[in-house]
């Protein structure tokens, strides 16, 4: 049984903790947050308000970092220097130099590190990558990705509204789509971007030029309470793969329309997709790497560096 600790019991921990609690081969033994009230809903798990004290008292196989972005690198390094494997929320850091620092520390201490870029584990996005890799619908011609919300008001100490600690829309929101693009298709050859950045709102439209196709992506924190919206549309030679209100749909050029969410239950067809929780998927993947001593191949440091370089240029 792998022993797990988690630090940062804020918003996103609400997606990680239930996933850990479901696992049979790992036990979440302790959590840590400087705000004790954030941990009240987990009375059965040991609680700390001081990270160093938690590391001192506990013996973890894995630490899950759900802290504000600017703390990721230093906390990951501190844990790995104690021989603990680390899974860390995105982004790995706002600084490219931290990628090498983190991976060097992992290597030196013979532990594993993975940044939890959740779209790499999200079935709809995985479906697009599989279609691209297999050529099932011919060549990819274009793509459009959307990720919008209102300006964040919920973060501890308002760290999300502080560019130095969070990196605003590029590093907090747009990173999801760009990271997926770099993972699925490699780094773009050219980036053209437009940004409207005011103190209380931040909008980006970027066009990424790949070999033979391009992808346009827009991300925003609007000043008004715009509902969270994330979707995509990828145009292949013989089909469009899109997410909309109906879920994941393939519009084939021969006239067929396949709703992958409708066929999901009980269908044994080739493109039947099971329902899945991407936050659980990323945790299960990392646990498997640690337990069976497999390399963490799904997230590579060179990809993370390429993403940071582009985000800095937006
Ligand atoms: N993958 C996703 O879909 C997704 C979604 C949201 C957030 N995130 C990422 O997760 C991270 C956390 O975001 P959030 O929305 O949960 O933020 P949050 O502000 O809601 O939570 C952060 C928590 O860390 C605690 N904290 C701060 N300093 C601490 C310290 N020194 N020791 C212990 N606890 C400390 C705070 O009290 C707070 O509860 C960010 O890096 C963000 O980019 C990812």
């Amino acid at each position: 049984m792998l022993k797990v600790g988690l630090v940062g019991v804020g918003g996103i921990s609400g997606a990680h903790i239930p996933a850990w609690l479901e696992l049979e081969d790992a036990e979440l033994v302790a959590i840590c947050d400087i705000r004790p009230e954030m941990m009240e809903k987990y009375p059965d798990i040991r609680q700390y308000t001081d990270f160093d004290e938690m590391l001192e008292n506990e013996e973890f196989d894995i630490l899950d970092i759900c802290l504000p972005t600017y703390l990721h690198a230093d906390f990951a390094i501190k844990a790995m220097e104690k021989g603990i494997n680390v899974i860390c929320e995105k982004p790995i850091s706002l600084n490219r130099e931290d990628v090498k620092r983190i991976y060097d520390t992992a290597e030196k201490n013979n532990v594993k590190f993975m940044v939890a870029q959740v779209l790499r584990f999200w079935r709809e996005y995985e479906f697009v990558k599989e279609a691209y890799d297999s050529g099932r619908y011919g060549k990819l011609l274009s793509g459009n990705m959307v990720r919008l919300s209102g300006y964040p008001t919920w973060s501890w100490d308002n760290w999300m509204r502080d560019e130095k600690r969070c990196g605003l829309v590029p590093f907090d929101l747009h990173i999801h789509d760009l990271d997926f693009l770099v993972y699925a298709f490699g780094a773009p050859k050219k980036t053209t971007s437009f940004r409207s950045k005011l103190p209380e709102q931040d909008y980006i439209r970027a066009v990424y030029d790949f070999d033979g196709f391009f992808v346009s992506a827009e991300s925003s924190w609007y000043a008004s309470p715009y509902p969270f919206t994330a979707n995509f549309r990828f145009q292949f030679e013989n089909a469009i793969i899109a997410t909309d209100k109906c879920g994941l749909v393939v519009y084939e050029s021969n006239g067929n329309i396949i709703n992958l969410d409708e066929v999901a239950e009980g269908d044994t067809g080739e493109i039947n997709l099971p329902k899945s929780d991407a936050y659980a998927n990323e945790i299960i993947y990392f646990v498997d790497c640690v337990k069976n001593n497999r390399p963490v191949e799904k997230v590579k440091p060179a990809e993370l560096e390429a993403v940071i370089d582009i985000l800095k240029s937006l």
Side-chain angles (χ1 to χ4, degrees):
M1 179 72 83
L2 296 172
K3 288 196 167 60
V4 180
L6 181 145
V7 60
V9 190
I12 198 59
S13 75
H16 288 225
I17 292 176
W20 284 116
L21 295 179
E22 282 291 309
L23 285 188
E24 284 178 1
D25 42 8
E27 186 189 3
L28 184 59
V29 293
I31 53 178
C32 171
D33 199 292
I34 48 173
R35 295 182 292 170
E37 67 275 18
M38 299 305 286
M39 301 184 282
E40 278 168 8
K41 55 179 178 281
Y42 305 110
D44 298 335
I45 308 174
R46 281 194 292 284
Q47 303 183 358
Y48 294 86
T49 51
D50 183 288
F51 181 64
D52 292 332
E53 193 189 326
M54 178 166 85
L55 284 193
E56 206 53 48
N57 286 359
E58 302 285 344
E59 285 200 358
F60 296 136
D61 299 295
I62 296 176
L63 176 75
D64 183 355
I65 298 181
C66 294
L67 289 165
T69 296
Y70 67 101
L71 298 173
H72 290 178
D74 287 347
F75 276 65
I77 285 170
K78 194 180 258 189
M80 291 192 292
E81 282 174 343
K82 289 203 160 242
I84 302 169
N85 302 284
V86 170
I87 178 170
C88 178
E89 254 307 338
K90 50 56 64 174
I92 184 168
S93 172
L94 304 176
N95 305 307
R96 174 189 230 277
E97 302 69 46
D98 282 338
V99 178
K100 184 170 174 354
R101 210 160 67 86
I102 286 172
Y103 278 90
D104 282 354
T105 308
E107 196 181 340
K108 197 170 146 207
N109 292 281
N110 197 22
V111 292
K112 298 186 195 303
F113 173 85
M114 186 179 91
V115 60
Q117 289 290 165
V118 73
L119 293 195
R120 297 180 187 227
F121 300 87
W122 206 286
R123 62 174 201 137
E124 286 84 351
Y125 293 82
E126 285 187 301
F127 185 79
V128 172
K129 177 166 166 50
E130 192 277 324
Y132 176 77
D133 289 343
S134 67
R136 177 192 293 184
Y137 300 118
K139 284 190 193 139
L140 179 57
L141 303 177
S142 78
N144 190 64
M145 304 181 87
V146 174
R147 197 165 293 274
L148 309 169
S149 92
Y151 211 79
T153 52
W154 54 85
S155 61
W156 162 78
D157 197 34
N158 262 339
W159 70 269
M160 282 177 83
R161 300 166 84 123
D162 176 355
E163 182 159 18
K164 287 203 174 66
R165 292 192 286 173
C166 151
L168 305 181
V169 163
F171 281 86
D172 201 78
L173 209 56
H174 191 70
I175 186 171
H176 284 293
D177 294 317
L178 177 59
D179 178 82
F180 171 73
L181 293 174
V182 171
Y183 163 63
F185 314 132
K189 281 196 307 190
K190 190 176 159 215
T191 299
T192 310
S193 66
F194 305 89
R195 184 168 179 187
S196 159
K197 184 178 155 206
L198 301 173
E200 294 290 298
Q201 45 189 313
D202 191 9
Y203 175 92
I204 288 169
R205 155 86 60 184
V207 180
Y208 298 111
D209 191 354
F210 294 86
D211 258 329
F213 65 95
F214 61 95
V215 179
S216 162
E218 63 167 338
S219 309
S220 184
W221 287 340
Y222 292 119
S224 33
Y226 193 83
F228 180 75
T229 308
N231 56 51
F232 63 69
R233 191 173 63 248
F234 285 93
Q235 174 199 11
F236 290 81
E237 281 175 309
N238 302 318
I240 292 166
I241 304 175
T243 52
D244 57 25
K245 287 193 195 84
C246 308
L248 182 61
V249 183
V250 181
Y251 300 87
E252 294 182 348
S253 345
N254 62 13
N256 287 342
I257 300 177
I258 304 161
N259 184 325
L260 288 135
D261 287 308
E262 274 177 5
V263 296
E265 274 185 27
D267 192 295
T268 51
E270 197 193 341
I271 50 176
N272 176 22
L273 290 180
K275 295 259 178 259
S276 76
D277 169 359
Y279 295 99
N281 295 346
E282 63 191 8
I283 284 172
I284 290 166
Y285 173 81
F286 188 66
V287 165
D288 177 65
C289 291
V290 170
K291 208 173 129 187
N292 299 305
N293 197 20
R294 287 193 234 279
V296 182
E297 283 171 343
K298 188 124 175 163
V299 187
K300 298 189 172 72
E303 296 166 343
L304 303 175
E305 287 173 339
V307 168
I308 292 178
D309 289 344
I310 295 167
L311 292 174
K312 290 257 188 214
S313 73
L314 297 178

